């Protein structure tokens, strides 16, 4: 590997291909990763507006009534199925959209799918900001869900196909980084507009801004060479690869193109229904890992932090303003930890970050549960002192940092890099769909779970974190530095998955 001059050895199927990090590949990946803005912004906004009094008065007056009762259970204040339907309806739409996106990316490419997602999200943001009733509000959420579903399916695959293999992890974490930027931006905006009568409209409507940024940027990039080759556009693929890798690196670019052509031809010759092919025994390892990782990501409980952090912080004793400030701090810490992940992911590998982050999150979840049990009790009618409330915030910040440099970015990266070309769109679609499905179930049930499980809700997620960490130790092979079209090798050599695989690269 020649680090000087940014030259990197790219492990190809038949040898070593030298790929350089060029300004074009950096700018292209930044544009694509920025699609994470729309997902992150929505995550941040959803939790914030549900604590705004004017928003609750207009759409969820029963929640305000419960909050104003003299005697209440802090675990159950915000337990409203209609309120959680507002948050989680996006994920049902996202689930459907991610499955549809598999066909779109195969037929029209990754770039077109992202543009479509940006436009759909834009319309959803406008409708949400102008909502006059609950039906209009939910319709806007559904459009937002379709936008997120399209972009979340296409963007991670795009990044994995374009980034130099030795730095694929760092480039792909950009998607999670922009999710974090979106969350922090939304939290800051929620804080600024919290006391404004139309603050919720401003917060929901400005979701159009990240959609415009991402969509406009996508107009100036080309599709991935792999996608173009899969659709028979050889000349365009060649131009795209030279643009990304640099014209001065002609010999190495031609070698990489030859590898991509070989992979695409094998995929075209063996073209079958991808959702049927992916169920074959030889692809069982990729299928299990791509299904398990997004499910596990949500079972860390991180979305609860993002969706309901303002609600949770108000429940443990913070006022509306301090609760939003605490949520903003939580988002900034998560963002910083994603940057840390970017710097170390291709040095220490995926497994190390998964395991270390899992241990960190497990300890924090257990500690929060213990603190809640000791202070507010099982009945939830004791008031938590400010000192203990601050301790809860600190523990959740440490927990968020653990997620930010492990399960956050890696859950988008790993499923997008492990499938062969012919199954990549379908595999990513299934992974994203499962992510949305589990997110929906958790978002729809968390407030009820918190109400009934009380502090045990945090032990529930802690147990899942322990289980997923064991899964990584036992069943996830290391994928750092391996070319996406040579990834089959890591499954063939694995102690358990080797019995399922066949020695071919398609």
């Amino acid at each position: 590997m020649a680090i000087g001059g940014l030259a990197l050895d790219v492990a190809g199927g038949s040898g070593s291909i030298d790929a350089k990090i060029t300004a074009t590949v950096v700018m292209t990946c930044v544009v694509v990763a920025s699609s994470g803005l729309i997902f992150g912004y929505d995550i941040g906004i959803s939790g914030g507006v549900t604590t705004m009094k004017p928003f609750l008065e207009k759409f969820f007056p029963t929640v305000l009534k419960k909050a104003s009762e003299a005697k209440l259970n802090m675990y159950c204040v915000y337990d409203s199925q209609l309120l959680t339907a507002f948050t989680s309806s996006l994920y049902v739409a996202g689930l459907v959209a991610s499955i549809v996106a598999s066909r779109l990316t195969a037929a029209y490419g990754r770039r077109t799918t992202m543009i479509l997602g940006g436009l759909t999200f834009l319309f959803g943001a406008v409708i949400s900001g102008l909502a006059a009733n609950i039906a209009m509000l939910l319709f806007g959420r559904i459009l937002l869900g379709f936008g997120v579903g399209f972009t979340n399916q296409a963007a991670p695959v795009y990044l994995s196909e374009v980034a130099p293999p030795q730095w694929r992890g760092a480039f792909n974490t950009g998607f999670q980084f922009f999710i974090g930027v979106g969350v922090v931006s939304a939290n800051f905006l929620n804080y600024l507009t919290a006391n404004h009568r139309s603050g919720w409209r401003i917060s929901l409507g400005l979701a159009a801004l990240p959609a415009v940024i991402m969509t406009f940027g996508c107009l100036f990039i080309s599709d991935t060479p792999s996608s173009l080759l899969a659709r028979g556009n050889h000349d365009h693929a060649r131009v795209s690869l030279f643009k990304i890798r640099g014209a001065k690196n002609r010999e190495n670019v031609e070698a990489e193109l030859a590898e991509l052509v070989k992979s695409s031809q094998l995929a075209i010759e063996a073209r079958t229904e991808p959702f049927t092919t992916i169920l074959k025994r030889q692809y069982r390892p990729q299928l299990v890992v791509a299904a398990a990782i997004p499910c596990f990501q949500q079972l860390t409980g991180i979305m609860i932090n993002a969706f309901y952090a303002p609600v949770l912080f108000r429940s443990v004793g913070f006022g509306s303003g301090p609760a939003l400030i605490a949520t903003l701090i939580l988002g900034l810490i998560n963002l910083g930890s994603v940057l840390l992940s970017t710097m170390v992911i291709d040095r220490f590998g995926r497994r190390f970050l998964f395991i270390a982050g899992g241990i960190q999150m497990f300890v924090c979840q257990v500690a929060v549960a213990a603190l809640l049990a000791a202070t507010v009790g099982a009945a939830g009618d004791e008031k938590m002192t400010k000192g203990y409330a601050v301790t809860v915030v600190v523990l959740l910040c440490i927990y968020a940092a653990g997620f930010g440099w492990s399960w956050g970015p890696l859950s988008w990266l790993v499923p997008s890099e492990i499938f062969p070309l012919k199954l990549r769109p379908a595999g990513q679609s299934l992974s994203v769909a499962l992510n949305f499905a589990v997110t929906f179930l958790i978002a729809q049930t968390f407030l009820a779970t918190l109400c009934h499980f009380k502090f045990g809700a945090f032990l529930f997620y802690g147990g899942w974190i322990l289980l997923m960490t064991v899964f990584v130790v036992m069943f996830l092979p290391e994928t750092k530095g391996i070319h996406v079209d040579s990834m089959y090798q890591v499954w063939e050599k694995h102690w358990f998955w080797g019995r399922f695989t066949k020695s071919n690269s398609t």
Side-chain angles (χ1 to χ4, degrees):
M1 178 171 64
I3 298 297
L6 294 176
L8 306 167
D9 288 338
V10 179
S14 61
S16 181
I17 302 169
D18 191 45
K20 289 186 177 181
I21 297 179
T22 64
T24 300
V25 77
V26 171
M27 292 305 299
T28 298
C29 287
V30 167
V31 167
V32 175
S34 71
S35 62
L37 280 173
I38 65 176
F39 190 30
Y41 185 89
D42 182 81
I43 292 171
I45 284 297
S46 299
V49 297
T50 54
T51 66
M52 295 182 183
K53 187 176 180 180
F55 179 79
L56 293 174
E57 285 177 344
K58 185 171 183 64
F59 299 109
F60 310 101
T62 57
V63 175
L64 272 182
K65 183 180 178 181
K66 287 176 66 177
S68 64
E69 291 177 356
K71 185 78 173 178
L72 53 85
N73 183 332
M74 63 81 70
Y75 295 113
C76 302
V77 174
Y78 294 92
D79 181 19
S80 165
Q81 286 303 304
L82 190 58
L83 180 60
T84 52
F86 161 74
T87 299
S88 57
S89 57
L90 178 145
Y91 297 95
V92 176
L95 187 158
V96 175
S98 61
I99 297 297
V100 174
S102 172
R103 306 290 186 183
L104 290 175
T105 54
Y108 302 105
R110 296 29 164 166
R111 172 179 172 269
T112 300
T113 304
M114 287 187 290
I115 292 173
L116 180 60
L119 292 174
T120 307
F121 192 92
L122 174 61
F123 289 128
V126 172
I127 292 173
S128 297
L130 297 175
N133 51 55
I134 191 67
M136 191 173 176
L137 186 69
L138 292 178
F139 179 64
R141 293 288 294 170
I142 289 170
L143 287 179
L144 293 174
F146 272 91
V148 169
F150 289 145
T151 55
N152 283 16
Q153 192 278 344
V157 172
Y158 190 112
L159 292 168
S160 288
E161 290 181 342
V162 166
Q166 288 292 87
W167 296 99
R168 186 173 59 248
F171 277 95
N172 207 294
T173 56
F175 183 72
Q176 181 68 29
F177 174 77
F178 276 102
I179 290 178
V181 171
V183 171
V184 169
S185 301
N187 289 337
F188 182 65
L189 184 61
N190 282 337
Y191 176 71
L192 294 178
T193 61
N195 297 318
H196 195 284
R197 186 68 191 170
S198 299
W200 66 270
R201 291 191 184 276
I202 297 170
S203 292
L204 292 178
L206 281 180
L209 183 59
V212 169
I213 293 172
M214 186 272 291
T215 306
F216 183 74
C218 285
L219 296 176
F220 297 95
I221 63 174
S222 61
D223 209 345
T224 71
S226 294
S227 178
L228 290 166
L229 286 169
R231 290 179 283 130
N233 297 324
H234 186 280
D235 292 338
H236 289 164
R238 190 173 187 276
V239 171
S240 175
L241 189 60
F242 268 96
K243 186 183 296 185
I244 292 168
R245 298 290 185 245
K248 295 180 180 179
N249 202 29
R250 178 171 297 275
E251 182 179 342
N252 294 318
V253 173
E254 291 288 1
E256 184 175 358
L257 180 62
E259 291 292 331
L260 292 175
V261 169
K262 178 182 175 182
S263 296
S264 67
Q265 286 176 341
L266 289 170
I268 291 171
E269 291 170 2
R271 181 162 288 173
T272 56
E273 169 53 48
F275 287 104
T276 300
T277 305
I278 205 171
L279 297 176
K280 290 183 178 180
R281 178 181 171 85
Q282 69 193 86
Y283 303 116
R284 192 76 47 79
Q286 295 96 320
L287 179 61
V288 171
V289 170
I293 285 180
C295 293
F296 282 149
Q297 184 198 44
Q298 298 311 313
L299 288 168
T300 62
I302 188 61
M303 282 303 181
I304 305 314
N305 266 14
F307 290 151
Y308 301 116
V311 171
L312 183 61
F313 290 150
R314 291 194 69 177
S315 294
V316 298
F318 285 86
S320 178
L324 290 174
I325 291 176
T327 304
L328 179 60
I329 293 172
L330 202 66
L332 287 170
I333 289 175
N334 180 268
L335 192 59
S337 63
V338 175
L339 285 176
L340 175 63
S341 176
T342 301
M343 292 185 285
V344 302
I345 192 171
D346 291 306
R347 176 174 297 180
F348 296 109
R350 284 64 160 149
R351 282 170 51 84
F352 172 80
L353 295 184
F354 267 133
I355 295 167
I359 294 172
Q360 183 175 336
M361 289 189 292
F362 172 75
V363 171
C364 290
Q365 290 284 49
V366 173
V368 169
L371 192 59
L372 289 176
T375 53
V376 302
D381 53 5
E382 300 292 330
K383 186 173 179 61
M384 180 178 283
T385 64
K386 186 176 180 180
Y388 284 123
V390 170
T391 304
V392 169
V393 174
V394 171
L395 286 170
L396 290 179
C397 285
I398 297 172
Y399 163 86
F403 178 86
W405 64 281
S406 62
W407 282 90
L410 292 175
S411 295
W412 299 107
L413 167 61
V414 173
S416 71
E417 68 181 0
I418 60 177
F419 285 99
L421 177 61
K422 68 178 180 180
L423 297 179
R424 209 165 291 152
Q428 182 68 6
S429 287
L430 286 175
S431 182
V432 173
L434 283 169
N435 187 298
F436 282 133
V438 178
T439 304
F440 168 76
L441 291 174
I442 291 175
Q444 193 67 26
T445 60
F446 172 72
L447 292 179
T449 301
L450 181 62
C451 183
H452 293 92
F453 282 23
K454 303 175 174 57
F455 60 84
F458 295 92
L459 293 177
F460 172 78
Y461 291 113
W464 279 108
I465 292 171
L466 181 61
L467 177 63
M468 65 187 72
T469 303
V470 172
F471 176 86
V472 169
V473 171
M474 299 295 292
F475 300 112
L476 183 68
E478 183 55 64
T479 58
K480 71 168 184 174
I482 307 297
H483 195 284
V484 288
D485 292 315
S486 301
M487 198 63 70
Y488 63 94
Q489 296 172 358
V490 303
W491 305 106
E492 292 177 351
K493 297 175 182 177
H494 191 266
W495 73 272
F496 180 77
W497 299 122
R499 71 193 68 181
F500 294 93
T501 58
K502 293 181 179 179
S503 183
N504 64 70
S505 59
T506 62

